[in-house]
Amino acid sequence: MRLVVAFTLVTALTAAATGALTFREARTGVLQQSQDTVINMLRSQITRLAPDLGHPPTEPELRRFAAGVARAEPSGTWRVLAEYRDLSATSAPGDPFEELTPAVREAVDSSMATVFQRVRSGGHTSLVVGMSVAYAAPEGTGRQPSGVRVFLTVPQTTEQAYVDALVSAAQRAAVPAVALAALLALLAARGVLRPVRALRRATRSIAEGRLDTRLAVHGSDELADLSHTFNETAAALEKSVAELREMEARARRFAADVSHELRTPLAAMSAVTDVLDEDATGLDPDTATAVRLISEETVKLARLVDDLMEISRFDAGAAVLHLDEIDLAESLRHTLAARAWTDLVECDLPPPDALRGRVDPRRLDVVVANLVGNALRHGARPVLLRLREGGLPDGGRCAVIEVLDSGSGLPDGVLPHVFERFYKSDTARARTDGSGLGLAITAENVRVHGGTVRAANRPQGGALFTVELPLQRDTSTPEARP
């Protein structure tokens, strides 16, 4: 639009300037030609009639002289005034000769040159010409004024018609020129903007993940070079992303394969450590301590392998929801009781059957156990588990689960990363009691339910983890979202 407007304005200004200059030159030429023709005819007529004029002339002679000068124009448009001292006569009896101005009289009285002036009167323009009649003097003395002054008025209706025709022609030419300029601007804009718009669409397509998007390259101008560069960039990006995806897929397969392969020896190790734990009391103290250490580390390793297997299922999109409508408050109580946390955690739960929803009970148990266990390990008592009903932006209902502790809270730099895998807020802490995957598994379990989980710090101190699970779900497809 800006290009079209700019083209139109430039063309309009150019047409106006050209038209004005052309009009001025044409008008000057028309008026100059008309003026020269009138003056030459007037001089010729006066030269022809002046010898018959007496000296000094009488009023009848002046009248005949004026009428004779006026007859030089066959169409009868000339009006002539002849004066000699106090005598004056016009070619038309009673003509007031209103077009004659004092400036013309004064110029004729003070000079022998022919003077003229264009005067507008009565809605039209007239040419007023004035000159003095001179006689030939003896040789060498020049021309002598006779005292007779002649004034001529000629209406310039024909010249005005020519000028009006020029104005109309300029206007008629300007409108098509502006329209043609707008059309050319539109075509030029389309020619420039079409590849730019195609580039915009292609860029948006790349941003949406369609990395095989390419542009058609036409010509050899700058836009064609830009399209070619875009194609090269898109190809390089597609290749890099494909390599990254392949590396990520290999890493996931490796983690899954390692976890799977470790399960069998870990099962054997767990069985052996169970037997050793039973006989540890009969062993010497050093051996008993080593047995208990091996047993604890085997349990941690088994938990890590289980968590890696769970993460691998999420990464592969193989996590499946087994939905069931349950009493959410009762499910949370069972989670605490199964881990002997009932006396360690304060609860703010609704009455039985007050809040029910279709969820995967096992995954909900994992979510609550990981959050509460994290609060007990890294926070401070008292720890509060709260359940209530909330609302969604689309007007739906959701269950809101909150876990609060009374510790020092999470550093601001840690909050954005708490749900990342193997993330440690304390980089100097090489070992932890957990696998480092608990909160990441929590986030994945919440996600497959279509909910959200977030971490924050309480104003009065301590960390706050909030889970929102939609209560209304489409049960026709129980599989997790990819």
Side-chain angles (χ1 to χ4, degrees):
M1 182 58 66
R2 290 195 297 270
L3 187 59
V4 172
V5 171
F7 263 76
T8 304
L9 289 178
V10 169
T11 304
L13 291 176
T14 304
T18 303
L21 292 174
T22 303
F23 168 76
R24 188 183 69 177
E25 294 299 326
R27 179 177 180 273
T28 301
V30 169
L31 295 178
Q32 185 69 39
Q33 182 180 3
S34 171
Q35 165 193 310
D36 293 345
T37 301
V38 168
I39 290 175
N40 290 334
M41 290 177 62
L42 176 62
R43 286 175 177 172
S44 176
Q45 191 72 350
I46 289 176
T47 301
R48 186 175 65 84
L49 297 177
D52 297 333
L53 187 63
H55 190 278
T58 63
E59 185 174 349
E61 290 176 338
L62 288 176
R63 186 176 299 110
R64 288 193 299 272
F65 179 72
V69 173
R71 283 194 295 271
E73 171 58 43
S75 61
T77 59
W78 282 18
R79 292 164 46 226
V80 180
L81 169 64
E83 294 181 343
Y84 179 77
R85 296 182 181 177
D86 295 335
L87 299 178
S88 65
T90 59
S91 59
D95 188 350
F97 225 86
E98 296 177 348
E99 293 84 356
L100 183 60
T101 63
V104 175
R105 284 183 180 274
E106 182 179 353
V108 172
D109 291 340
S110 60
S111 173
M112 292 293 293
T114 302
V115 298
F116 63 90
Q117 183 181 29
R118 293 186 184 87
V119 179
R120 186 168 184 82
S121 175
H124 63 276
T125 302
S126 300
L127 176 64
V128 179
V129 182
M131 62 182 302
S132 296
V133 179
Y135 293 117
E139 186 175 354
T141 61
R143 296 172 60 83
Q144 298 295 327
S146 65
V148 177
R149 300 184 301 275
V150 179
F151 301 98
L152 169 66
T153 298
V154 182
Q156 294 189 307
T157 54
T158 302
E159 290 78 3
Q160 186 64 41
Y162 288 155
V163 171
D164 293 341
L166 286 174
V167 173
S168 299
Q171 291 176 345
R172 289 193 300 269
V175 173
V178 172
L180 179 61
L183 179 60
L184 293 176
L186 184 60
L187 294 176
R190 289 186 62 187
V192 173
L193 294 180
R194 186 183 297 112
V196 175
R197 288 170 179 162
L199 178 61
R200 181 183 63 185
R201 290 191 297 269
T203 305
R204 185 175 300 165
S205 179
I206 290 286
E208 292 173 354
R210 295 188 287 273
L211 301 180
D212 58 343
T213 303
R214 299 292 184 272
L215 290 173
V217 181
H218 302 288
S220 58
D221 56 5
E222 290 81 359
L223 291 174
D225 292 340
L226 179 61
S227 300
H228 183 69
T229 303
F230 174 85
N231 290 340
E232 291 179 345
T233 304
L237 178 62
E238 183 181 17
K239 181 180 179 181
S240 299
V241 171
E243 292 176 353
L244 290 174
R245 287 175 177 172
E246 184 179 356
M247 293 172 60
E248 184 180 5
R250 287 199 301 266
R252 290 175 177 174
R253 286 196 302 269
F254 175 77
D257 293 341
V258 169
S259 300
H260 181 75
E261 294 298 328
L262 285 176
R263 297 194 72 174
T264 300
L266 276 175
M269 291 173 62
S270 297
V272 172
T273 54
D274 289 342
V275 173
L276 292 176
D277 284 338
E278 293 178 358
D279 298 335
T281 55
L283 301 175
D284 61 89
D286 292 338
T287 305
T289 302
V291 167
R292 293 189 183 94
L293 179 60
I294 293 175
S295 177
E296 291 174 1
E297 294 301 324
T298 302
V299 171
K300 291 180 182 179
L301 184 57
R303 186 183 306 122
L304 175 60
V305 170
D306 289 339
D307 289 344
L308 284 174
M309 291 291 294
E310 186 73 7
I311 284 291
S312 299
R313 283 191 287 270
F314 286 121
D315 291 340
V320 178
L321 286 176
H322 299 283
L323 298 176
D324 190 12
E325 184 171 346
I326 62 173
D327 181 354
L328 299 180
E330 186 64 22
S331 176
L332 268 58
R333 292 189 183 94
H334 287 165
T335 298
L336 299 180
R339 292 162 178 83
W341 290 343
T342 304
D343 296 332
L344 302 178
V345 178
E346 298 180 3
C347 295
D348 181 8
L349 306 177
D353 290 329
L355 186 58
R356 301 182 65 87
R358 287 185 59 82
V359 297
D360 187 326
R362 184 187 70 83
R363 296 188 184 280
L364 178 61
D365 176 78
V366 171
V367 168
V368 176
N370 284 342
L371 293 180
V372 174
N374 183 77
L376 291 173
R377 285 192 301 270
H378 304 294
R381 300 176 60 184
V383 174
L384 174 63
L385 175 62
R386 181 186 299 161
L387 174 64
R388 58 183 174 84
E389 182 177 336
L392 297 174
D394 59 0
R397 299 164 55 242
C398 70
V400 180
I401 303 172
E402 295 176 334
V403 177
L404 307 83
D405 65 62
S406 303
S408 58
L410 297 169
D412 293 337
V414 173
L415 284 174
H417 308 286
V418 292
F419 297 106
E420 295 180 3
R421 302 171 186 181
F422 299 109
Y423 180 78
K424 296 179 181 179
S425 59
D426 184 5
T427 56
R429 183 163 49 94
R431 293 180 56 82
T432 62
D433 294 336
S435 65
L437 295 173
L439 292 180
I441 292 175
T442 297
E444 293 292 345
N445 278 312
V446 172
R447 183 184 62 83
V448 297
H449 277 90
T452 59
V453 59
R454 57 184 180 273
N457 287 320
R458 302 167 59 197
Q460 60 272 34
L464 168 63
F465 287 84
T466 304
V467 175
E468 294 181 354
L469 296 178
L471 293 178
Q472 302 294 332
R473 289 184 54 84
D474 183 5
T475 60
S476 60
T477 305
E479 295 185 358
R481 299 178 182 177

